[in-house]
Amino acid sequence: MSPARVHNASPSLTPADGRERFVTSPYYRGGGRVDESAQGFTVHAEFHLQCEVRLVSGVFDPASPDLAEVYRPFGRCVAIVDEHVHRVYGDAIAAYFAGCGIELLVMVCRALEADKTLSTVARIVDYLGPNGREVTRNEPVLVIGGGVLSDTAGLACALLHRRTPYVMVATSLVAAIDAGPSPRTCVNTDGLKNSVGAYHPPALTLVDRSLFVTQSAKTFRHGLAEVLKMAIVDDEALFTLLEERGPDLVTSRLASAPPSAAAATDEAIIYRTLRSYLGHEGPNMFETYQDRPHAFGHTWSPGFEPAARLLHGHAVSIEMAFSATMATVMGWISASDRDRILNLCQRLDLAIYHPVITKVDTLTRAQQAMRAKRGGHALWAPLPRAAIGQCDYAQDISDELLKETIETHRGLCTARQNSGGIDPLLG
Ligand SMILES: NC(=O)c1ccc[n+]([C@@H]2O[C@H](COP(=O)([O-])OP(=O)(O)OC[C@H]3O[C@@H](n4cnc5c(N)ncnc54)[C@H](O)[C@@H]3O)[C@@H](O)[C@H]2O)c1
């Protein structure tokens, strides 16, 4: 390794237990104690991580300090960039680092859902590792892309040196408000989605909503479904903002330029979604608890999304609409709140119905799988309760309740004459 490539930007010494200790990376701390007895030893260990989510604008503008501040101490930046994103922003990214006098080394990575595999992770580890760019365990890797790349490259960073920090520039709405700052990094195996992974959030996530403008409406809608999810179960004010902006949200991709009233609302929508998401995820970064409102829309959909070959955003919205109906059947929310939810889904061109939701077998199988994933005891299905912006958890959902909900929901959706204004397979 040449001297220019010895990276040791943060060799901070910190006092712990009266001893000075060398910190491997400024983003992580650990501690512990050992109880000793004649029969053996018990270790009690703690791990502390720090991760920041920062709202920025013009992240690749040469005047923007956010990336330069991180990478200047290292003299270089090793980046993994989504292939499509590289096509659109590659020149701007190269110009940014050249302008800052920081060497940029890029792996351009195809990151389709089909690429969310362990072999993609292995290729990224090879690129970053001892036979590649020799990234050290305190040198943050830069990941630029959507949710597929954040899951895949994030897992590669989790595996490299057993834990290597990374910075995420979220280029899609899903990556900005959900997958990017999420602690979960994962890939699919044997057709099972997100089945293998590690808890390894980015040290820093940069959210620049102006980047969403180049996203397709189809993939942008996946993100919109996740925003709506947080609004329904956690933030009524966010729900009202979504109602105010309506279909224009899709047209503008939440990227309307300031100064304008629309820009202020778009900014507020991103901020409130992150506030809501992190408010629940932040104190539960290792999923040690199952009362997670942001699992709304994700109890049955993993079971019927692949079976019906639905696009993810539509699968989530179909479950959200179905859940709103179920909450009404259970007496948890009023019919007028349910209709507000169905109306907003339809105004945002998110599907509310698909025949797959009427198959009791598919739904009960999905419940069994989810029960196992959530600890094996109960279902922990978040449903709106009392009002929009609040939720509770259903633990046992009987076949009778499923059947009554199916009939009611089918009737409501037939009266609305369509499944949400758009084909959930193509839109
Ligand atoms: N880890 C988690 O907690 C978590 C949470 C939610 C979703 N996810 C995962 O995220 C994935 C979905 O994320 P996604 O919707 O970002 O999909 P994605 O990463 O596939 O991106 C969608 C498409 O848009 C392109 N793209 C991204 N940003 C762009 C931009 N600014 N301009 C032009 N093209 C752009 C990508 O190349 C891709 O083709 C799924 O695999 C899902 O499982 C993970």
Side-chain angles (χ1 to χ4, degrees), residues 134-197:
E134 300 178 276
V135 169
T136 69
R137 64 195 308 195
N138 78 350
E139 178 183 5
V141 173
L142 178 60
V143 179
I144 305 178
V148 168
L149 196 69
S150 74
D151 281 357
T152 318
L155 182 55
C157 292
L159 298 178
L160 183 70
H161 308 302
R162 296 180 296 280
R163 184 181 299 116
T164 299
Y166 63 107
V167 170
M168 181 76 211
V169 174
T171 61
S172 72
L173 180 57
V174 166
I177 53 92
D178 199 337
S182 161
R184 285 170 296 280
T185 65
C186 43
V187 293
N188 308 328
T189 55
D190 290 334
L192 292 174
K193 206 166 149 57
N194 301 334
S195 49
V196 169

Side-chain angles (χ1 to χ4, degrees), residues 302-424:
F304 67 71
E305 177 183 329
R309 302 172 70 83
L310 290 167
L311 294 172
H312 182 66
H314 292 302
V316 170
S317 65
I318 288 166
E319 178 177 322
M320 293 194 295
F322 181 78
S323 301
T325 302
M326 181 179 282
T328 316
V329 171
M330 292 166 75
W332 282 18
I333 58 168
S334 64
S336 64
D337 277 344
R338 175 202 63 204
D339 290 345
R340 248 181 107 189
I341 293 170
L342 267 54
N343 290 345
L344 187 52
C345 286
Q346 291 197 285
R347 288 183 68 219
L348 299 179
D349 263 345
L350 287 165
I352 57 170
Y353 182 81
H354 184 278
V356 74
I357 199 83
T358 64
K359 299 191 185 328
V360 177
D361 282 3
T362 306
L363 301 183
T364 46
R365 265 200 308 280
Q367 282 178 197
Q368 278 161 10
M370 198 46 73
R371 202 180 283 272
K373 191 173 175 189
R374 293 180 181 164
H377 306 299
L379 188 58
W380 288 106
L383 296 177
R385 186 162 193 171
I388 288 174
Q390 298 173 41
C391 82
D392 202 344
Y393 300 89
Q395 305 296 8
D396 288 301
I397 292 175
S398 64
D399 281 5
E400 288 64 40
L401 176 56
L402 281 176
K403 284 176 192 156
E404 190 178 346
T405 304
I406 288 167
E407 286 318 309
T408 311
H409 196 62
R410 197 191 340 239
L412 285 168
C413 294
T414 307
R416 286 167 181 258
Q417 290 186 323
N418 64 39
S419 63
I422 196 147
D423 188 334

